[in-house]
């Protein structure tokens, strides 16, 4: 049985992109660390702040970072 392209694309995105609330994101990052990762890169994508604040010519999404910080540093 073959998988339709949209279903395959959805599974690929779900495997590569962590999305959800703060606790869901923390749980997925913890899974990566438990599997041996010692570095995890976080890039916040936001529908609430589609036009990011620019810092040093790079997008910087303050709202999502501020919400994630307490969960990731606890």
């Amino acid at each position: 049985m073959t998988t339709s392209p949209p279903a395959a694309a959805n599974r690929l995105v779900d495997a590569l992109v962590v999305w959800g609330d703060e606790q869901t994101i923390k749980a997925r990052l913890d899974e990566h660390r438990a599997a041996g990762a010692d570095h995890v890169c976080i890039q916040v994508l936001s529908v609430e702040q589609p036009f990011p604040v620019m810092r040093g010519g790079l997008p910087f999404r303050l709202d999502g970072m501020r919400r994630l910080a307490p969960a990731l540093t606890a």
Side-chain angles (χ1 to χ4, degrees), residues 25 29 33 39-45 64-65 68 72:
I25 294 169
L29 294 176
R33 286 193 218 111
H39 290 78
V40 179
C41 178
I42 300 170
Q43 179 179 1
V44 176
L45 305 174
M65 291 182 184
L68 275 175
L72 299 179

Side-chain angles (χ1 to χ4, degrees), residues 2-70:
T2 60
T3 303
S4 69
N10 287 343
R11 283 201 327 268
L12 177 62
V13 169
D14 286 342
L16 297 174
V17 179
V18 178
W19 59 276
D21 64 13
E22 292 84 356
Q23 294 309 314
T24 301
I25 294 169
K26 181 182 184 327
R28 285 282 305 275
L29 294 176
D30 288 345
E31 288 174 15
H32 286 289
R33 286 193 218 111
D38 59 358
H39 290 78
V40 179
C41 178
I42 300 170
Q43 179 179 1
V44 176
L45 305 174
S46 172
V47 295
E48 289 122 11
Q49 188 183 7
F51 301 102
V53 173
M54 300 302 284
R55 294 263 172 107
L58 300 172
F60 193 72
R61 289 182 162 76
L62 296 172
D63 62 331
M65 291 182 184
R66 286 182 178 136
R67 285 199 323 262
L68 275 175

